[in-house]
Amino acid sequence: MRELAGRLAALDPDAGEAVRVIAYFDRLTAERAGLEALVRGAAVLAGSPARLADPVHGVRIRVEPDGRRVDGPARTPVPPGADWPGVPVSPGGPRVLWLEQSGEPGPVGAMVLERAATAVRAALDRTRGRAPAVPGPPAPDAASVEVLLDADAPPRARELAARRLGLGPLTRALARADGTADVADATHERAVREGAVREGAVREGAVREGAGREGAPYGAASEGAPRTGIGPAVPPLDLPHSYAQARIALRFTAEGTAADPGHRWVRAEELGGLSVLAAAVGPRTAPVPDVLALRRAHAAAPWALLTLHAVASHASLRTAAAALNVHHSTLQERLAHAERLLGWNVREPAGRLRLQLALALDRLHRSPAST
């Protein structure tokens, strides 16, 4: 699509830009973006403030061209201008999506309105309880989950969604590597063990025990639910915050293999100050020398990354050797070789901290930043 847009731009700039608009909103729809992200996209692409006002669903969002959202209870909404271009989100309904500019929009502005309205309609159908039923046995109520995790959904709608899901006073949001999300009733805290959520404590479809760390060799790929970040326990109306924290925790998860050692489930509360790194480091961030050293060590010795992670994650070399299922002397030999590849001693407190930070940074470099 980008190549097509580039070719069209060389012939007709408006046509090339229109193709980019289509690709942009198609991507947001595929990623199941929320309403605020869709309105923000319209404002940024059109270069003018965009407004979504849907009294039926209790939605009111206004975003400036620089991406800042500027609405809220303390702000008195200005009535839409009579000459503002706008489109109905529902066919035949009132105009509820506007660009705050005078006169008819150009070809690009018209395309922005059309594609944004289509994406908003899909998001409303998905998150406001009008998703079409699917044949077969009852499925998890994904629409109710999305309402609970959507900060733009009215409080009353989220209360009803929590009631439909039968949630208790404290709940956790779950963010999975496959792009899906869920919520867990935190009343059953005993069921949340070693970062995995037991079956029975979570609604059907949430993370389940059976792919945990126990019973499998260290570094063996786990089966079952995908990698999952687990948010803090909060009241149901605060689940958007828990979900944001769960998405940060997801970035610290790993596949649990020799090439990507680590835990497949990470709880946000266990990150501590590491969560600050997530805001500053991503796939496009230049890696620091220690991360490059880790990668060179792994390229030179395929066992190095797994060995170093075990040493960084266990209280002693003996427990690390037991987790790796190797003799203590074998681990000592491997570790000496890995230290030569790295260039520092990981058995000293300062070197161990340096190793732990390098491992965390390497994982963040490989995981896209949450939005």
Side-chain angles (χ1 to χ4, degrees):
M1 184 67 78
R2 285 194 296 268
E3 182 180 354
L4 174 61
R7 292 179 179 178
L8 284 174
L11 300 173
D12 183 343
D14 284 344
E17 192 61 31
V19 171
R20 290 191 183 93
V21 169
I22 293 171
Y24 180 84
F25 283 107
D26 283 351
R27 178 176 63 81
L28 289 182
T29 300
E31 293 174 353
R32 301 167 73 87
L35 296 174
E36 181 176 342
L38 296 173
V39 179
R40 178 175 293 108
V44 172
L45 291 174
S48 66
R51 179 188 300 192
L52 173 65
D54 184 355
V56 175
H57 296 97
V59 175
R60 180 164 61 87
I61 301 171
R62 183 179 181 274
V63 180
E64 293 282 356
D66 61 3
R68 291 181 300 112
R69 180 170 176 174
V70 287
D71 57 21
R75 187 180 181 89
T76 303
V78 177
D83 58 346
W84 288 0
V87 294
V89 168
S90 300
R95 294 191 305 173
V96 293
L97 180 64
W98 291 274
L99 297 178
E100 297 185 9
Q101 55 183 240
S102 299
E104 289 296 321
V108 175
M111 181 61 69
V112 167
L113 278 173
E114 178 186 336
R115 301 303 294 187
T118 301
V120 166
R121 185 183 310 126
L124 286 172
D125 286 345
R126 189 180 69 238
T127 63
R128 298 303 189 265
R130 295 185 296 155
V134 295
D141 189 353
S144 292
V145 172
E146 282 206 58
V147 170
L148 275 171
L149 302 182
D150 184 0
D152 297 320
R156 178 59 178 166
R158 281 188 271 150
E159 288 175 358
L160 292 174
R163 195 175 305 165
R164 283 195 297 269
L165 295 171
L167 297 177
L170 289 178
T171 52
R172 295 180 183 272
L174 309 174
R176 303 196 192 95
D178 62 4
T180 60
D182 216 318
V183 293
D185 191 335
T187 305
H188 307 277
E189 281 299 323
R190 291 182 180 178
V192 182
R193 179 169 56 90
E194 292 294 320
V197 182
R198 284 181 185 270
E199 183 176 9
V202 185
R203 298 185 314 98
E204 180 70 23
V207 182
R208 300 180 180 183
E209 189 180 38
R213 297 175 232 171
E214 296 181 3
Y218 189 82
S222 302
E223 298 179 355
R227 293 184 291 109
T228 302
I230 303 174
V234 296
L237 289 183
D238 292 334
L239 275 169
H241 168 73
S242 180
Y243 183 53
Q245 296 301 304
R247 294 178 71 183
I248 293 175
L250 175 63
R251 299 187 60 206
F252 288 91
T253 63
E255 289 297 330
T257 63
D260 187 20
H263 304 308
R264 293 177 63 84
W265 295 278
V266 172
R267 295 175 63 162
E269 298 102 316
E270 297 175 353
L271 292 176
L274 286 176
S275 60
V276 178
L277 293 177
V281 179
R284 296 183 181 180
T285 309
V288 298
D290 284 359
V291 171
L292 296 176
L294 268 182
R295 295 176 181 176
R296 287 195 300 269
H298 176 63
W303 47 261
L305 201 57
L306 183 62
T307 298
L308 290 168
H309 186 276
V311 170
S313 303
H314 291 84
S316 68
L317 293 185
R318 291 196 177 277
T319 55
L324 290 166
N325 198 26
V326 299
H327 193 272
H328 182 256
S329 61
T330 301
L331 176 60
Q332 291 275 16
E333 294 173 2
R334 288 186 179 182
L335 191 54
H337 182 48
E339 286 175 332
R340 288 194 295 272
L341 293 172
L342 286 178
W344 76 83
N345 186 341
V346 303
R347 283 172 266 201
E348 297 177 348
R352 179 184 171 92
L353 175 59
R354 187 174 171 182
L355 173 62
Q356 291 168 334
L357 284 174
L359 288 166
L361 288 170
D362 186 40
R363 191 159 297 128
L364 291 174
H365 281 304
R366 288 182 284 164
S367 64
S370 56
T371 55

